[in-house]
Amino acid sequence: MSAPLLRLEGVTKIYQLGEVEVPALRGVDLLLERGDFIAIMGPSGSGKSTLLHIAGLLDRPTSGRVLWDGEDVTSFRPARLAELRGRRIGFVFQTFNLMSTLTALENVELPLVFQGVRPRDRRQRAEELLSLLGLGDRMRHRPSQLSGGERQRVAIARALASDPDLILADEPTGNLDTASGQEILGILAQLNEQGRTVVLVTHDPEAAATARAVLRMRDGRIEGGEG
């Protein structure tokens, strides 16, 4: 029996603001099996984004353990964490985080550039993903020439470029109109049906209903789940 894709054990995170300690996470346990689709909800300041950053290896816990495929990666060196993150985790953010000077195609290629993928291969991969997401005729447009929904689809294509095991989406519909938001949620659900593990952070109950289970956070703790 294989180990869970991701496990957080007793994770705390304390930020130091001057002489004041601000606890963001207070002993969080989280288990992600392959193929899960969970939504994390909670008020502002509840620890949702901090949890996502630690799960995505963008930040380290103050205490506790982070395990990938059963391996404790908590104390990995930054370079090794970056390699693991780049190959196995795809991120989708509320603000898209696209490079304004690059075309949609070049934005999707970017993770593969850092991984040393050959230009012809990364171009082919980016073209395939953008076509799959309905942007075949928008590949050479820059972000400023795209609608919000189109920019978020480019961001999803970029997240998929490395064929990751896990998609982490932080308020991916927050800057979109209702129709575009529903479209993005549909894409995430479809990716999950194809076997991707998806974690969605949202404040929107309708968006959370797309997931198979909902976890609620308050004051740095997970209160419980509903499936």
Side-chain angles (χ1 to χ4, degrees), residues 29-218:
D29 296 318
L30 178 67
L31 181 68
L32 270 184
E33 301 284 2
R34 289 166 182 76
D36 279 353
F37 185 0
I38 69 167
I40 301 175
M41 297 191 70
S44 296
S46 61
K48 303 187 303 296
S49 291
T50 300
L51 178 60
L52 202 72
H53 288 166
I54 288 177
L57 311 181
L58 291 168
D59 201 357
R60 294 181 187 270
T62 303
S63 64
R65 298 201 307 163
V66 179
L67 294 95
W68 260 90
D69 279 341
E71 183 178 15
D72 188 347
V73 302
T74 315
S75 58
F76 274 17
R77 293 180 180 276
R80 195 171 175 198
L81 280 177
E83 181 183 2
L84 179 60
R85 186 172 62 239
R87 293 187 180 279
R88 303 199 61 181
I89 305 173
F91 296 91
V92 182
F93 300 99
Q94 177 177 352
T95 53
F96 318 127
N97 285 13
L98 300 176
M99 299 288 288
S100 61
T101 57
L102 302 181
T103 65
L105 192 62
E106 290 165 340
N107 267 285
V108 177
E109 283 186 76
L110 202 54
L112 303 177
V113 173
F114 294 133
Q115 291 177 23
V117 177
R118 293 187 306 173
R120 184 177 63 182
D121 293 339
R122 67 183 187 234
R123 179 61 52 97
Q124 180 180 356
R125 173 72 174 160
E127 288 176 347
E128 288 173 353
L129 287 167
L130 287 169
S131 296
L132 192 66
L133 292 170
L135 293 171
D137 60 344
R138 311 290 277 170
M139 293 185 189
R140 285 166 177 79
H141 288 64
R142 287 184 168 78
S144 61
Q145 299 170 302
L146 302 172
S147 69
E150 287 172 336
R151 277 179 274 173
Q152 196 59 291
R153 279 187 277 162
V154 173
I156 290 174
R158 181 186 58 192
L160 293 171
S162 300
D163 195 23
D165 298 298
L166 175 62
I167 300 290
L168 298 178
D170 193 357
E171 299 282 5
T173 63
N175 283 339
L176 304 179
D177 59 58
T178 301
S180 296
Q182 288 297 321
E183 182 181 76
I184 295 305
L185 292 171
I187 291 171
L188 292 175
Q190 186 176 23
L191 290 171
N192 177 247
E193 289 168 5
Q194 294 168 356
R196 307 270 181 185
T197 306
V198 180
V199 177
L200 167 67
V201 164
T202 182
H203 66 278
D204 181 357
E206 290 187 14
T210 309
R212 297 184 181 183
V214 180
L215 300 179
R216 299 183 184 277
M217 293 195 70
R218 185 174 295 276

